[in-house]
Amino acid sequence: MTIEWPVLSVLIWLPIAGGVAVLLVGERRAELARWVGLAATLATFIASLPLFGAFDRGTAEMQFQELAPWIPTFDLNYHLGVDGLSLPLILLTTFISVLVIMGAWGAIQQRVAQYLAAFLILEGLMVGVFCALDAFLFYVFFEAMLIPMFLIIGVWGGPNRVYATIKFFLYTFLGSVFMLVALIYLYLKADSAAILDLHALPLSLTEQLWIFVAFLLAFAVKIPMFPVHTWLPDAHVEAPTGGSVVLAAIMLKIGGYGFVRFSLPITPDASLSLDWLLITLSLIAVVYVGLVALVQQDMKKLIAYSSISHMGFVTLGIFIAFAILARGEGSSGAVLGVEGAMVQMLSHGFVSAALFFCVGVMYDRIHSREIADYGGVVNTMPWFATFMVLFAMANCGLPGTSGFVGEFMVILASFQANFWYAVLAGLTLILGAAYSLWLVKRVIFGEIGNKKVERLEDLNFREAVTLGALAVAVLGFGIWPEPLVELMHVSVDNLLTHVAQSKIQVQL
């Protein structure tokens, strides 16, 4: 099966065009704007599905490539393509975006067209990040994402939205400035901005260390890693439900994607030299931030800290690969670690999105995120309670859910790197179970907490479809993860073959 049309450009520009169309419809016809927004993002999702069937799983080469001059003076190109590392994240983006637009249907009543347009434009930019094969095209998409998300939090956010927005912007913008400096240096040295050319560029260890640190500052903030994670809880608490969903489900994954697309293949020797630092920070995130989640009284903050803890698994899976390769015991354990990290990114996209949607359902009814304001919700919202318990179990890493697969693969790989890495990583299963089950106990079970809970109405059709779609994804990939692993296996294997070779030039 081949695709004869420029599918990647369609996935980038169709939602952006949809955003412009929604703005043209205007605020006075909000209902029409909602239907136009849904049609645009649904068409984008449908257009992305042929990628799954047409993708050649037997090669690590970039596929569905599109190449056109962008700024010929500087030899910069509009160059797109995908491999097994980026394709799953593109499908996640188009899938989650449909649910976000559906979720805004009843929740957003002010500036509806602007809200929908911001999300549609954001969707196109996020797909662009995962498709870009020109370093500066990647940077443009990477930075441009900040603008719609800045507006989403700043305009439709909570009472402290200005503080949260500025903090979010400063952290992410300052981090990426260092990445720009590194990209300019690489461009001048390679005389090319093609990312694949940068992968092949020989660099001294000193050069690699500086470039690695620059990339680390950009991508660690994005994930976010400890100790640059403090912007995330504030952004989540103040963002509207759709903003929290996109932030957790997709934007955090761009940091992990940046590590495997830039840091590992461009600076493999520096990655090997500093793997101990990344592993240490990842384990601190897994354990310490998990403990912080345990004491939260705000549901959104609890899920935000839970996200930071779970994303620690992603960086742990990526960088224990170097510890395994250094032991000289073959690359199968390293492949398992990186594949586990990728699966964890996808799983966290589904589970975190579902949990934030659940909080949004309750907030729309009672206008409170405080855990103490609930109790006994199962008595009035049995269908909602069923979904929330399922997603909380997935957040614990319960076998049979997608949350189990990635964490199990990373812990299994950790045993091959260091026994104590695996023990500390395993603590997150205990901590995850503790804060997830305690949240469920206080919110869902027990006697009805107050009269507001007594008057709650169960899920409407739109909410049931949204949570039902995520439940299918969580259970589907939990029971049968093979199609996902198969999609990325050759690309991960090729990545590790590349990073196992030193790029330091031998002086004769």
Side-chain angles (χ1 to χ4, degrees):
M1 179 180 176
T2 57
I3 301 177
E4 302 295 340
W5 41 284
V7 59
L8 301 181
S9 287
V10 169
L11 298 182
I12 293 171
W13 298 108
L14 178 59
I16 293 175
V20 174
V22 167
L23 287 174
L24 293 174
V25 169
E27 302 297 343
R28 292 184 178 180
R29 293 177 287 179
E31 193 66 12
L32 179 59
R34 292 187 177 100
W35 282 110
V36 171
L38 181 61
T41 193
L42 200 55
T44 306
F45 174 60
I46 293 170
S48 70
L49 293 180
L51 286 173
F52 184 80
F55 187 77
D56 183 354
R57 290 152 176 77
T59 176
E61 298 293 321
M62 290 291 172
Q63 301 179 42
F64 315 112
Q65 290 198 48
E66 298 172 30
L67 180 63
W70 175 32
I71 307 176
T73 307
F74 298 106
D75 195 25
L76 303 182
N77 296 305
Y78 176 79
H79 190 186
L80 306 176
V82 295
D83 62 0
L85 301 174
S86 52
L87 180 55
L89 295 167
I90 292 171
L91 296 173
L92 174 72
T93 303
T94 59
F95 173 68
I96 293 293
S97 296
V98 175
L99 304 183
V100 168
I101 297 297
M102 288 174 61
W105 212 274
I108 300 298
Q109 299 297 331
Q110 303 294 326
R111 300 183 177 183
V112 175
Q114 294 174 24
Y115 181 84
L116 296 172
F119 273 108
L120 288 164
I121 292 168
L122 180 60
E123 179 186 0
L125 297 173
M126 290 188 297
V127 173
V129 166
F130 296 128
C131 292
L133 293 183
D134 182 284
F136 290 96
L137 186 64
F138 171 89
Y139 185 78
V140 168
F141 285 128
F142 188 85
E143 286 296 274
M145 287 187 315
L146 295 180
I147 299 170
M149 183 50 80
F150 183 92
L151 294 173
I152 289 165
I153 301 174
V155 176
W156 292 276
N160 295 319
R161 58 185 179 275
V162 174
Y163 167 76
T165 305
I166 292 174
K167 192 173 181 181
F168 159 75
F169 186 84
L170 286 177
Y171 267 70
T172 51
F173 180 73
L174 289 176
S176 54
V177 165
F178 294 98
M179 180 175 71
L180 176 62
V181 174
L183 291 179
I184 292 172
Y185 180 82
L186 290 168
Y187 167 71
L188 294 174
K189 194 167 179 68
D191 198 23
S192 169
I195 293 175
L196 297 182
D197 289 344
L198 302 186
H199 287 183
L201 182 65
L203 294 167
S204 69
L205 182 58
T206 303
E207 288 174 314
Q208 288 191 45
L209 287 171
W210 280 108
I211 293 166
F212 179 86
V213 170
F215 285 144
L216 175 64
L217 290 170
F219 301 136
V221 168
K222 209 65 148 186
I223 281 184
M225 291 185 72
F226 175 88
V228 289
H229 65 286
T230 59
W231 64 270
L232 186 68
D234 291 320
H236 270 308
V237 167
E238 298 304 323
T241 298
S244 294
V245 170
V246 168
L247 204 53
I250 307 169
M251 290 188 75
L252 302 191
K253 312 303 176 296
I254 291 170
Y257 176 73
F259 278 125
V260 297
R261 181 62 77 215
F262 287 89
S263 302
L264 267 60
I266 294 176
T267 60
D269 300 289
S271 300
L272 175 62
S273 300
L274 295 176
D275 65 341
W276 60 271
L277 174 63
L278 276 296
I279 291 171
T280 303
L281 294 177
S282 302
L283 291 171
I284 291 173
V286 167
V287 179
Y288 167 70
V289 180
L291 289 169
V292 174
L294 201 57
V295 299
Q296 298 304 311
Q297 299 301 315
D298 182 304
M299 287 186 284
K300 263 194 169 182
K301 268 195 175 179
L302 189 152
I303 300 168
Y305 281 111
S306 163
S307 291
I308 298 165
S309 178
H310 281 92
M311 291 305 289
F313 255 92
V314 174
T315 46
L316 179 65
I318 291 172
F319 285 96
I320 56 170
F322 290 96
I324 296 170
L325 291 172
R327 291 166 69 104
E329 297 178 357
S331 63
S332 61
V335 171
L336 188 67
V338 176
E339 286 182 351
M342 293 295 296
V343 172
Q344 174 69 1
M345 282 203 279
L346 270 292
S347 169
H348 182 263
F350 297 130
V351 176
S352 63
L355 288 172
F356 279 118
F357 271 124
C358 286
V359 174
V361 166
M362 287 189 282
Y363 185 80
D364 289 344
R365 287 161 171 73
I366 291 185
H367 299 291
S368 172
R369 295 185 304 266
E370 291 295 317
I371 295 172
D373 290 339
Y374 294 87
V377 170
V378 69
N379 297 292
T380 51
M381 302 177 69
W383 282 108
F384 170 80
T386 304
F387 279 118
M388 184 148 181
V389 170
L390 169 65
F391 298 134
M393 293 295 106
N395 203 39
C396 303
L398 186 75
T401 66
S402 63
F404 171 76
V405 181
E407 292 183 1
F408 179 72
M409 291 169 74
V410 173
I411 290 175
L412 209 58
S414 299
F415 270 113
Q416 297 191 33
N418 186 300
F419 172 78
W420 291 107
Y421 292 167
V423 171
L424 290 171
L427 281 177
T428 194
L429 298 178
I430 300 170
L431 290 171
Y435 57 68
S436 298
L437 294 178
W438 199 25
L439 172 69
V440 165
K441 174 185 177 294
R442 288 179 289 173
V443 173
I444 301 296
F445 295 115
E447 299 297 323
I448 292 178
N450 53 57
K451 290 188 179 301
K452 288 183 177 178
V453 174
E454 194 175 287
R455 291 193 292 270
L456 284 175
E457 294 182 2
D458 211 344
L459 299 174
N460 58 37
F461 177 73
R462 175 181 51 77
E463 293 166 340
V465 169
T466 302
L467 296 180
L470 289 164
V472 169
V474 167
L475 291 173
F477 286 116
I479 295 169
W480 193 36
E482 183 59 25
L484 177 60
V485 175
E486 187 186 46
L487 198 66
M488 65 182 67
H489 181 72
V490 174
S491 295
V492 171
D493 198 42
N494 178 66
L495 171 71
L496 290 173
T497 302
H498 182 91
V499 303
Q501 299 170 0
S502 173
K503 295 181 72 175
I504 301 174
Q505 289 179 311
V506 178
Q507 301 295 327
L508 299 176

